[in-house]
Amino acid sequence: MTAERIEHRACSGGWQDVYRHTSKALGCEMKVGVYLPPQAEHGPCPVLYWLSGLTCTEQNFITKAGAQRYAAEHGIILVTPDTSPRGDEVADADSYDLGKGAGFYLNATREPWAQHYRMYDYIVDELPAWVQANLPASDARAISGHSMGGHGALTIALKNPGRYRSVSAFSPIVAPSQGAWGQKAFAAYLGEDEAAWAQYDATALVADAKERLLLLIDQGGADEFLDNQLRPQLLQAACEAAGHPLELRIQPGYDHSYYFISSFIGEHIAHHAKAMR
């Protein structure tokens, strides 16, 4: 795919860019944020993909997380895609948790969603192919995300052993098949077959994971969605049963916002930097 750079801003010694391109996987025009650290001027750098949550675009993370300073410190490229297909031709719903802004990082199989809602293919195949061909990127990659994006990061890493050196998440939807957000989206995008749902559910995927990649999760103890939507204890129990490594950190007093993410993103980037050396 070809892309046009539409934003170019100096940041922490490097450059925060935004590109616009036409996605074959999604059948629409998309935007993606790219932070190039100063080290990228001298050679290839590892890449951290960040997946944002419900209602977000490529802008939320790059403007609110304060991640660029840490990426510059460790020499990491940050790639921050949008959360769903976009455009007048793309199906939508009158709801914040379905349709545009709520792609759930899966490949939809039901109409009217199937034509455009193929975020899994976009994140796993199309976007990395462009990154490798057009950016000073090494072959080392990691993935992280928040809320719906945390769900995406965990499931994509679990479904693609060997592709990522590390994975982490903030406040992820760890068991979407057992919560209202996931049940609504899965029923619409995938139908009523819960076996299809399990292919995008981290709590189900750890049982047969072919790679024991550590799952690093930070969860705010005062998160307003903790008990009814996020329920990290479900993933904790599944990991214990499967013998899958998990570092679950409950951070007292923190909520679901970017105040939480910005407080711990430096530790996450350091974690990924160590894995991608």
Side-chain angles (χ1 to χ4, degrees), residues 85-98:
R86 300 287 178 174
D88 293 341
E89 72 280 13
V90 173
D92 199 8
D94 187 20
S95 173
Y96 78 95
D97 54 0
L98 186 68

Side-chain angles (χ1 to χ4, degrees), residues 169-188:
F170 288 81
S171 316
I173 307 171
V174 300
S177 299
Q178 301 180 58
W181 281 341
Q183 290 169 347
K184 178 179 179 177
F186 285 2

Side-chain angles (χ1 to χ4, degrees), residues 8-16 35-42 68-73:
H8 184 58
R9 306 177 193 276
C11 184
S12 296
W15 296 97
Q16 179 61 62
Y35 177 69
L36 294 177
Q39 295 88 336
E41 294 185 5
H42 308 292
Q68 294 91 341
R69 59 174 291 195
Y70 303 107
E73 176 184 346

Side-chain angles (χ1 to χ4, degrees), residues 83-166:
T83 57
S84 77
R86 300 287 178 174
D88 293 341
E89 72 280 13
V90 173
D92 199 8
D94 187 20
S95 173
Y96 78 95
D97 54 0
L98 186 68
K100 294 177 187 177
F104 270 84
Y105 303 102
L106 51 74
N107 287 340
T109 56
R110 295 191 69 194
E111 297 300 337
W113 314 103
Q115 181 179 356
H116 296 287
Y117 284 77
R118 304 189 63 81
M119 287 296 293
Y120 179 87
D121 283 352
Y122 176 67
I123 299 297
V124 172
D125 296 320
E126 186 177 27
L127 189 57
W130 176 80
V131 167
Q132 293 299 130
N134 294 277
L135 300 180
S138 73
D139 61 359
R141 61 175 70 91
I143 192 166
S144 186
H146 171 234
S147 195
M148 177 187 71
H151 140 77
L154 294 174
T155 57
I156 287 171
L158 288 166
K159 288 166 68 70
N160 293 275
R163 180 179 290 264
Y164 302 97
R165 302 280 182 89
S166 52

Side-chain angles (χ1 to χ4, degrees), residues 1-268:
M1 73 187 190
T2 58
E4 173 192 7
R5 191 173 68 189
I6 59 173
E7 294 184 26
H8 184 58
R9 306 177 193 276
C11 184
S12 296
W15 296 97
Q16 179 61 62
D17 297 335
V18 175
Y19 288 86
R20 179 169 54 212
H21 68 91
T22 298
S23 167
K24 291 183 179 179
L26 302 175
C28 66
E29 191 174 84
M30 295 291 286
K31 294 178 183 177
V32 59
V34 173
Y35 177 69
L36 294 177
Q39 295 88 336
E41 294 185 5
H42 308 292
C45 295
V47 181
L48 173 60
Y49 291 85
W50 172 270
L51 307 183
S52 291
L54 288 167
T55 75
C56 291
T57 69
E58 84 289 344
Q59 289 291 323
N60 295 72
F61 182 74
I62 67 177
T63 59
K64 295 180 179 180
Q68 294 91 341
R69 59 174 291 195
Y70 303 107
E73 176 184 346
H74 294 286
I76 290 176
I77 296 171
L78 300 176
V79 176
T80 57
D82 201 344
T83 57
S84 77
R86 300 287 178 174
D88 293 341
E89 72 280 13
V90 173
D92 199 8
D94 187 20
S95 173
Y96 78 95
D97 54 0
L98 186 68
K100 294 177 187 177
F104 270 84
Y105 303 102
L106 51 74
N107 287 340
T109 56
R110 295 191 69 194
E111 297 300 337
W113 314 103
Q115 181 179 356
H116 296 287
Y117 284 77
R118 304 189 63 81
M119 287 296 293
Y120 179 87
D121 283 352
Y122 176 67
I123 299 297
V124 172
D125 296 320
E126 186 177 27
L127 189 57
W130 176 80
V131 167
Q132 293 299 130
N134 294 277
L135 300 180
S138 73
D139 61 359
R141 61 175 70 91
I143 192 166
S144 186
H146 171 234
S147 195
M148 177 187 71
H151 140 77
L154 294 174
T155 57
I156 287 171
L158 288 166
K159 288 166 68 70
N160 293 275
R163 180 179 290 264
Y164 302 97
R165 302 280 182 89
S166 52
V167 58
S168 73
F170 288 81
S171 316
I173 307 171
V174 300
S177 299
Q178 301 180 58
W181 281 341
Q183 290 169 347
K184 178 179 179 177
F186 285 2
Y189 296 144
L190 303 172
E192 301 300 330
D193 181 6
E194 294 191 8
W197 297 10
Q199 294 304 305
Y200 298 103
D201 188 311
T203 298
L205 290 169
V206 293
D208 298 313
K210 293 181 171 56
E211 179 184 34
R212 297 305 186 190
L213 196 63
L214 172 68
L215 310 181
L216 171 62
I217 295 175
D218 269 314
Q219 171 64 62
D223 191 315
E224 57 270 40
F225 304 112
L226 178 58
D227 295 328
N228 61 345
Q229 298 283 7
L230 306 177
R231 302 168 69 191
Q233 70 274 12
L234 296 176
L235 180 63
Q236 186 173 37
C239 286
E240 290 174 355
H244 195 101
L246 168 69
E247 183 176 354
L248 172 62
R249 311 191 307 187
I250 305 297
Q251 304 290 359
Y254 286 91
D255 62 12
H256 199 69
S257 72
Y258 268 82
Y259 295 111
F260 172 46
I261 296 169
S262 65
S263 298
F264 296 97
I265 191 64
E267 295 180 24
H268 281 240

